[in-house]
Amino acid sequence: MAETNPLTEYFEKNKGNLIHKWMHYFDIYHRHFARFRGQPVTIMEFGVYHGGSLQMWQHYFGRKARIIGVDINPACKKFAGKNIEIYIGDQEDRDFLRKLMKKVGPVDVVIEDGGHTMNQQLHTFEEVYPHVTKHGVFLIEDLHTSYWKSYGGGYRKAGTFIERVKDFIDELNAWHSHDGESFAVTDFTKMTRSMHIYDSIVVFEKDEVAQPYHKMTGKPTIGEEVYVEGKYVKL
């Protein structure tokens, strides 16, 4: 029997504040967030809305979790409470984001569910991601807006978050570049263990990443050469 997803269960039984989510998100959340449950972690969500998701995260992560909500609407201040902090500001404003991260310190999990315009998404990722802890997670959702003109998107349009993700794939693999500066190792390369791409969501999992290496063990069984990196090498 499949394990019950505690987030889906909470959502379906929710009688608290309003939560609005695409239903396939819950399995993605649980897959990447489960290891933080019950731990003294800091969780930050952009996009407070009616406050229901903050209550859900508090229930899911447990009493040791510090929950931070960020929204542009001053009315969201009323959702502050025990272990829940609310900060008001425009996530497109880099100065606000820098001051925010300086004030709140490192975060373990970021859920980016804010305004969903291209500048909001890109600025938030660029300013906040470096402050995610060594083994933390940055999850950005509702990326279908990268295809919607009303949010500044468009199919294969330059400057959307989805198009930036394609560059990140290159950066993730930059250790293997033979083209010099045009395909160089970046800070992103050194701090990102993996990227997980789903319908409307990308999850970035952090770590300290060293240059990968390979080696051989055992004895050759076909001749005295092996095929390595596009050429035969004599043993």
Side-chain angles (χ1 to χ4, degrees):
M1 181 180 294
E3 176 191 7
T4 301
N5 185 327
L7 285 164
T8 306
E9 186 175 27
Y10 179 96
F11 178 80
E12 295 290 4
K13 295 179 179 179
N14 178 42
K15 297 187 184 301
N17 294 348
L18 180 67
I19 307 172
H20 182 197
K21 293 288 185 182
W22 292 86
M23 294 306 296
H24 69 282
Y25 285 9
F26 292 105
D27 284 343
I28 301 169
Y29 293 149
H30 189 43
R31 182 175 301 130
H32 294 280
F33 296 164
R35 61 188 169 94
F36 297 99
R37 299 185 73 195
Q39 304 299 314
V41 291
T42 298
I43 313 299
M44 175 179 282
E45 181 174 42
F46 285 86
V48 173
Y49 195 42
H50 290 269
S53 58
L54 295 179
Q55 294 175 333
M56 179 176 71
W57 299 130
Q58 190 173 49
H59 179 270
Y60 178 75
F61 288 105
R63 294 179 296 174
K64 296 179 182 179
R66 173 193 181 198
I67 310 294
I68 299 171
V70 185
D71 204 285
I72 199 170
N73 184 359
C76 292
K77 287 182 179 179
K78 71 176 185 178
F79 299 121
K82 186 177 180 181
N83 295 336
I84 296 180
E85 305 167 30
I86 301 295
Y87 293 89
I88 304 300
D90 182 357
Q91 69 178 113
E92 189 173 342
D93 182 348
R94 290 184 182 273
D95 188 53
F96 164 72
L97 293 169
R98 289 167 186 162
K99 289 177 180 177
L100 172 68
M101 299 316 298
K102 187 174 181 179
K103 186 170 186 177
V104 304
V107 293
D108 300 290
V109 174
V110 176
I111 303 113
E112 207 292 77
D113 185 23
H116 310 317
T117 67
M118 299 306 101
N119 282 343
Q120 288 171 329
Q121 292 173 338
L122 288 165
H123 293 185
T124 301
F125 183 82
E126 290 166 1
E127 298 297 336
V128 175
Y129 188 61
H131 299 278
V132 175
T133 54
K134 176 180 173 180
H135 298 294
V137 172
F138 190 110
L139 181 149
I140 179 166
E141 61 188 67
D142 291 349
L143 289 176
H144 42 263
T145 60
S146 283
Y147 304 101
W148 293 358
K149 291 181 180 179
S150 58
Y151 285 79
Y155 178 56
R156 294 188 176 177
K157 179 182 177 182
T160 69
F161 199 88
I162 287 293
E163 290 303 306
R164 185 70 181 95
V165 165
K166 297 172 185 178
D167 293 333
F168 285 142
I169 293 172
D170 290 334
E171 290 184 48
L172 195 72
N173 290 279
W175 297 108
H176 308 287
S177 169
H178 290 203
D179 296 331
E181 292 301 317
S182 64
F183 188 33
V185 171
T186 66
D187 288 341
F188 178 86
T189 312
K190 297 175 182 178
M191 71 173 72
T192 307
R193 172 62 62 188
S194 63
M195 295 169 55
H196 304 260
I197 301 172
Y198 303 92
D199 176 344
S200 302
I201 283 180
V202 176
V203 182
F204 301 85
E205 295 196 328
K206 289 190 71 172
D207 202 347
E208 291 180 2
V209 182
Q211 183 170 358
Y213 64 94
H214 58 84
K215 61 182 183 179
M216 302 178 199
T217 62
K219 299 178 180 179
T221 58
I222 303 177
E224 296 182 351
E225 294 182 333
V226 293
Y227 193 71
V228 179
E229 296 183 350
K231 59 184 178 181
Y232 283 98
V233 178
K234 192 165 186 175
L235 294 176

